[in-house]
Amino acid sequence: MERSEKRLKQRLRVCVATCNRADYSKLAPIMFGIKSHPEIFDLEVVVLGSHLIDDYGNTFRMIEQDEFDIRSKLHTIVRGEDEAAMVESVGLALVKLPDVLQRLAPDILLVHGDRFDALALATAAALMNIRILHLEGGEVSGTIDDSIRHSISKLAHYHAVCTRSAERHLISMCEDHSHILLAGCPSYDKLLSAHQRDDYTDIIKSWIGDDVKEQNYIVALQHPVTTDIQNSIKIYELMLDALISFNKRTLILFPNIDAGSKEMVRVMRRKGIEQHPNFRAVKHVPFDQFIQLVAHAGCMIGNSSCGVREAGAFGTPVINLGTRQTGRETGENVLHVRDADTHNKIYHALELQFGKRYPCSKIYGDGNAVQRILKFMQSINLSEPLQKKFCFPAVKECISQDIDHILETQSALAVDLGGTNLRVAIVCMKGKVVKKYTQLNPKTFEERIELILTMCKQAMADAVHLNCRILGVGIGGGIIQHNELIHGSTFCAAELGHIVVSLEGPECMCGSHGCIEAYSSGLALQREAKRLHDEDLLLVEGMTVNNKEQVNAIHLINAARLGNSKAESILHTAGTALGLGIVNILHMINPSLVILSGVLSEHYENPVRQVISQRALLSAQGTKVMVSELEDPALLGAASMVLDYTTRRTY
């Protein structure tokens, strides 16, 4: 007996609340799945909303016919079919739901979609600390449904979505990614397995007529748009006129219970649709039969989500009228008539779509949604804290008004990884280099990284004594766009020194040939200076080199200044190579200004300008070239990225 009680206690108590015929078509496959695993789940069914209204077919009976035990029936609809009645219906549901939810005490409440009844369910459950699993959140459509759907998503703890786009929308709404399941639409499980029934012709005959053949009739289903009731009534009237003129047998379903539905029914009766020989007007069709009727129709018309979702699974042509489904993902079978303001537009759309067949679409599911949802529910940890958490995007941490922070100087570490030297500096907010460290750049990658870390650690330690608060580390060299550093897919963007400017150029340290660095870097010029010195072609009158002194780029520059033609030629070639690389950059990103910096910049300025004037496109030839007057522009530029980003205020 104890073991039996323990087993029952371990079952997951799932309450499924259904409000209307449409959401039951999505919830029923899950309910059957839950019911088939009594050892895991304990199913409680609550029925409310238009299910219990005679004018809408008393659709709670189909739930009973499916042999589900309805634990509670709540009459929550205030009649009137206007905006005030919708609000009063939500209020009435909120009055009645607490008693039911307290009595059933579910572990999880399943809520579907975007109806006002569902909003009442989610509100009550959230306030009563009941976990909510929301189906079909994150989707986009027209009318007030969007706002209601997103409101339910914010109240829900878990989400089962139909499409990848819906998943992304929820993530962008700060929902926890680990609580979102990309399941697909549950109704697709039934659609993809049952739409080829052998008795579909009998179903067509029973609902539309004995003389009607497949693909030779229309299914019409149009609902009011609660944010634009008068226009939706006008579109409904135009649709009926177009259908009458088109002269095809039509199954037309009554609209849902939203504000404006009463007026739409009046329009339908004023036009005599219920007595018209071409029309069969019905309040409800069982979903399994409705599937057959849509699957074999010549066309479906209206603004029901069924047209943009379920009909795509069969390739049935659809005409979507108005804005109610604006934003929904659709297959190629849907023709939108968003501005359906004339009878002729709708009639022409019928001519274009009727009788066509399109490839079947699986945008909303692959037939395996239910098993995914059941597995997802089993994974829910009921011992986790009930308070849901939102995953907000990272924002800058507020700096507390501590006296130490006030007295500290906000600073950055800047790193300049040059060809000859590796430099690290502490740079303050005012652009002043507080302290600078310089070391010869090692030859191997591993040694360079180790030296960078060592120098940065030393600088961090010194920063404490210098009363500098390091906000981040910046490395010179890169492309900045909209105040953001471009990294690239593998973090090697803006390796500008390795732009190839000659196919047969000197070998570069990267292993390639003809890179800018192989011509214009300090190491490249040092190599050329050493070559000239070894050939006794470097020194001219007024120059001396100590035997213990290492020949470098400075010696080459001095030789050029003193009239050494070979040194001048090398510097000109280096400047030309740099100019060619800059021309490539101008053509790629089109900057407004080129700033040259470093000891070689004044020697490169004229060759670079000359190459730009000769080689650049006409639109880029006017790009200004100037030499930086700053002492350490690379270090200051790297530091400015850190200081700007970490102190930026976003409004």
Side-chain angles (χ1 to χ4, degrees), residues 27 76 82 105 121 130 193 238 282 354 371 410 477 593 648:
L27 293 168
T76 57
D82 58 14
L121 280 163
I130 296 170
S193 62
L238 291 171
V282 298
F354 186 79
Q371 65 184 39
Q410 291 183 327
L593 178 67
R648 189 186 307 163

Side-chain angles (χ1 to χ4, degrees), residues 25 79 137 168 203 211 255 260 278 374 391 431 499 579 607 623-624 637:
S25 70
R79 300 305 300 271
R168 287 197 294 265
I203 294 171
D211 58 336
N278 269 352
L374 297 183
C391 298
I499 293 175
T623 305
K624 188 176 180 182

Side-chain angles (χ1 to χ4, degrees), residues 273-338:
I273 295 299
E274 290 171 293
Q275 292 78 39
H276 196 288
N278 269 352
F279 288 83
R280 173 80 189 278
V282 298
K283 296 174 180 177
H284 168 67
V285 179
F287 183 67
D288 59 338
Q289 297 182 42
F290 185 66
I291 290 173
Q292 306 303 317
L293 293 168
V294 172
H296 300 283
C299 179
M300 184 174 183
I301 189 171
N303 65 2
S304 168
S305 62
C306 176
V308 299
R309 296 170 64 99
E310 282 83 356
F314 319 124
T316 301
V318 172
I319 300 167
N320 179 50
L321 302 177
T323 60
R324 189 171 184 264
Q325 301 301 333
T326 298
R328 291 268 194 200
E329 296 171 75
T330 64
E332 60 180 291
N333 64 310
V334 180
L335 175 63
H336 297 280
V337 187
R338 293 188 177 91

